[in-house]
């Protein structure tokens, strides 16, 4: 059993200790076989611990490694042309109805082989890793046929073997209705989405199941059918809900005990209450709000009032959030939505891990994974404060740099 000690750091443990950020001044951390064995003030190290090999962090800030709990990192092509269209006044819905949006990425993704998808995703993945991210969720949903949905999930799994990062895969077959099923969303659910979900589960490719509950995507009843199959397969669910309108998707997902409901700009009090009762995490996605130039922000104060945990993620995707900076997402969550820097950091650590159903990371505490980030900053608020600046000094994954 290999053990070592990190000393001389300021640790934002993000544990709910009562202290802001769970902060421990002049902290030491004992690592053992990829996990945290002990953490506390350096003066409380035992003689045995003091004799272990040690690394002096020279007063730097130590936090849990970051968790990006909502991305669409694997896809073909890009949608820079749609970016131009939006700047010329076209809405998200108008672009989708004109054959753009998700379905345009579907065509590019269907035409890309597995190696091409790996090669295009790696730079996006590396950008997140370079900001201290150690766990990333990746969704399917740009195939919308059985073959491509499975290909995307296989690529996501491969990325976790090519880099020192934990990948959680989410099946998002209910992302959009492909053109060949135009006007036949229920048939698409029956003929493609549910069979693809069953096949992906049989191949061991799925950690969770998602659905886009929106007027331009699927109705609550259609998403519920997919979730019922997920439930039968023993898979947890998540949902894209209340981004452009309020169809009650968050309440639906909460009824299935969802891990998270994401976007939530149009979430109402009934949806918040349902999420609170179910323990469903609200995943705040400021990148899409910013890119789409939306004006209605998610109800942060209401989520606070009912104690709903708030995660923050990039929503990295080629259309509505072409962003691969979780630090920028933290800044946007604070600047655009009024989240505090502490809420933003909790949203990319403790609450983001919870949104993925992971209880072994997201905080610095004994028994948890030694996934940690070392920062060249004096106070944790600086992580949300700066724009376009990466102060990462080192990232540890399972205790190893």
């Amino acid at each position: 059993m290999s053990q070592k000690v990190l000393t001389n750091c300021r640790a934002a443990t993000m544990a709910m200790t009562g202290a802001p950020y769970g902060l421990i001044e002049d902290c030491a951390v004992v690592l053992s076989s990829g996990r945290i064995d002990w953490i506390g003030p350096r003066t409380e190290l035992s003689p045995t611990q003091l004799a272990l090999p040690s690394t002096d962090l020279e007063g730097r800030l130590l936090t849990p490694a970051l968790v990006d709990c909502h991305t669409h990192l694997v896809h073909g092509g890009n949608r820079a042309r749609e970016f131009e269209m939006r700047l010329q006044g076209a809405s998200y819905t108008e672009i989708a109805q004109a054959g753009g949006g998700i379905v345009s990425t579907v065509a590019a993704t269907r035409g890309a082989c597995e190696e091409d998808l790996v090669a295009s995703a790696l730079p996006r993945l590396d950008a997140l890793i370079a900001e201290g991210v150690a766990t990333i969720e990746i969704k399917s949903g740009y195939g919308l046929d059985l073959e491509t949905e499975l290909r995307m999930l296989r690529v996501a799994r491969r990325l976790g073997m090519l880099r020192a990062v934990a990948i959680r895969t989410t099946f998002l077959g209910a992302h959009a209705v492909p053109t060949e099923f135009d006007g036949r969303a229920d048939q698409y659910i029956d003929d493609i989405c549910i069979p693809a979900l069953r096949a992906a589960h049989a191949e061991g490719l799925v950690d969770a199941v998602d659905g886009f509950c929106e007027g331009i995507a699927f109705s609550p009843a259609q998403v519920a059918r997919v979730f019922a199959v997920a439930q039968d397969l023993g898979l947890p669910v998540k949902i894209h809900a209340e981004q452009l309108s309020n169809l009650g998707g968050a309440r639906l997902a909460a009824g299935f005990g969802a891990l998270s409901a994401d976007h939530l700009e149009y979430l109402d009090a009934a949806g918040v209450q349902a999420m609170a009762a179910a323990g469903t995490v609200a995943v705040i996605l400021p990148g899409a709000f910013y890119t789409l130039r939306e004006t209605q922000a998610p109800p942060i104060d209401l989520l606070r009032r009912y104690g709903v945990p708030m995660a923050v993620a990039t929503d990295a995707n080629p259309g509505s959030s072409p962003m691969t900076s979780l630090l920028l997402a933290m800044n946007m969550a604070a600047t655009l939505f009024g989240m505090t820097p502490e809420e933003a950091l909790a949203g990319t650590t403790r609450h983001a891990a919870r949104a993925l159903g992971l209880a072994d990371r997201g905080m610095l505490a004994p028994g948890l994974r030694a996934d940690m980030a070392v920062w060249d900053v004096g106070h944790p608020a600086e992580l949300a404060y700066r724009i376009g600046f990466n102060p990462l000094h080192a990232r540890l994954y399972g205790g190893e740099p």
Side-chain angles (χ1 to χ4, degrees):
M1 181 173 66
S2 62
Q3 288 188 300
K4 57 186 175 183
V5 185
L6 306 177
T7 65
N8 189 17
C9 64
R10 190 181 205 193
T13 68
M14 304 315 296
M16 300 178 72
T17 63
Y21 300 93
L23 207 60
I24 301 176
E25 302 286 356
D26 192 15
C27 184
V29 187
V30 179
L31 309 182
S32 179
S33 300
R35 295 195 174 263
I36 299 171
D37 188 60
W38 181 91
I39 183 169
R42 180 166 50 163
T43 55
E44 296 180 12
L45 284 168
S46 70
T48 302
Q49 292 168 332
L50 285 168
L52 294 170
S54 66
T55 300
D56 186 341
L57 295 183
E58 301 177 334
R60 293 183 174 91
L61 178 72
L62 182 71
T63 72
L66 304 185
V67 177
D68 195 346
C69 64
H70 182 132
T71 86
H72 305 255
L73 214 61
V74 174
H75 60 80
N78 69 75
R79 280 152 53 191
R81 173 59 188 138
E82 290 177 23
F83 175 67
E84 289 185 321
M85 291 173 66
R86 275 196 301 275
L87 294 177
Q88 294 163 1
S91 71
Y92 185 85
T93 301
E94 287 169 343
I95 290 171
Q97 290 173 341
I102 291 168
V103 294
S104 65
T105 298
V106 169
T109 305
R110 287 179 177 179
C113 68
E114 188 169 315
E115 294 304 321
D116 288 342
L117 290 174
V118 169
S120 66
L122 277 173
R124 298 188 282 270
L125 177 63
D126 288 341
L128 290 169
I129 290 172
E131 289 192 346
V133 177
T135 301
I136 299 172
E137 184 251 25
I138 300 177
K139 303 179 191 292
S140 69
Y142 290 133
L144 308 184
D145 61 24
L146 190 147
E147 178 186 349
T148 315
E149 288 293 302
L150 267 59
R151 186 188 312 144
M152 292 183 68
L153 294 167
R154 292 187 196 111
V155 167
R157 289 281 200 238
R158 274 189 63 189
L159 293 174
M161 294 184 283
L162 293 170
R163 295 292 187 269
V165 65
I167 301 293
R168 302 294 288 181
T169 54
T170 297
F171 176 82
L172 183 55
H175 195 194
V177 180
T179 54
E180 63 269 26
F181 282 88
D182 189 33
R184 297 180 294 134
D186 283 303
Q187 188 176 352
Y188 166 75
I189 294 290
D190 288 334
D191 293 356
I192 303 296
C193 183
I194 290 174
L197 170 55
R198 293 188 184 281
H201 176 259
E203 200 172 316
L205 296 173
V206 186
D207 296 315
V209 176
D210 200 344
F212 189 13
C213 186
E214 192 56 72
I216 61 171
F218 295 94
S219 70
Q222 290 161 345
V223 173
R225 291 171 54 209
V226 179
F227 283 1
V229 175
Q231 196 170 58
D232 289 344
L233 296 173
L235 294 169
V237 301
K238 304 162 68 69
I239 195 166
H240 289 58
E242 277 73 86
Q243 180 184 6
L244 306 172
S245 62
N246 185 359
L247 298 185
R251 291 198 306 278
L252 165 71
F256 281 89
L259 292 174
S260 74
D262 305 24
H263 287 291
L264 304 178
E265 281 85 341
Y266 288 81
L267 182 65
D268 60 13
V272 173
Q273 291 167 6
M275 291 174 63
T280 299
V281 176
V283 179
I284 306 302
L285 302 172
F289 177 91
Y290 169 85
T291 302
L292 299 178
R293 304 167 77 185
E294 295 292 339
T295 56
Q296 179 155 327
I300 300 299
D301 286 340
L302 200 58
L303 292 165
R304 283 192 191 116
R305 190 184 314 159
Y306 284 93
V308 176
M310 293 182 287
V312 175
T314 62
D315 190 17
N317 75 72
S320 62
S321 187
M323 176 170 72
T324 50
S325 171
L326 195 51
L327 292 174
L328 179 57
M330 291 167 62
N331 174 270
M332 286 181 170
T335 303
L336 299 177
F337 298 153
M339 293 179 69
T340 68
E342 184 175 4
E343 286 173 333
L345 186 54
T348 54
T349 55
R350 182 175 76 241
H351 296 325
R354 179 172 170 178
L356 297 179
L358 298 173
D360 64 346
R361 66 201 71 191
M363 294 183 290
L364 303 179
L368 300 191
R369 281 185 56 88
D371 293 348
M372 298 178 286
V374 184
W375 307 93
D376 285 316
V377 301
H379 191 277
E382 291 185 55
L383 298 179
Y385 153 70
R386 297 192 182 277
I387 303 171
F389 178 71
N390 180 5
L392 186 73
H393 174 76
R395 186 192 70 129
L396 284 78
Y397 182 70
E400 297 299 323

